[in-house]
Amino acid sequence: MPNKICLVVPCYNESGRLNLGDYTFFIQEENKFLLFVNDGSLDNTLSILIGFEQTNQEKIRVLNLIKNSGK
């Protein structure tokens, strides 16, 4: 059984910089998954991430933190 790999992507006000196509390439392999952590973004980052999550709910998850916590 292959190991599962989860790439955690921290996001804060990234709506103008997110290139989701790069991440789609990553999850093409069966054992790879994505977790986007929205860290209290004030722009529409969260809505973009939720839309992306809905395209592949088995391999993409979004964790929304209401308040910006930083690194």
Side-chain angles (χ1 to χ4, degrees), residues 8-15 17-20 23 35-46 48-49 52 61-65 67-70:
V8 179
V9 183
C11 300
Y12 179 73
N13 294 338
E14 301 292 337
S15 65
R17 294 184 290 269
L18 278 173
N19 185 354
L20 299 177
Y23 298 105
L35 173 62
F36 290 91
V37 180
N38 181 52
D39 191 18
S41 294
L42 302 174
D43 62 1
N44 64 340
T45 297
L46 179 60
I48 292 170
L49 294 175
F52 189 45
R61 291 284 189 257
V62 175
L63 173 63
N64 184 42
L65 304 177
K67 182 180 176 189
N68 178 260
S69 301

Side-chain angles (χ1 to χ4, degrees), residues 2 11 26 30 56-57 60 69:
C11 300
F26 176 80
E30 185 177 325
N56 191 339
Q57 294 182 347
I60 302 169
S69 301

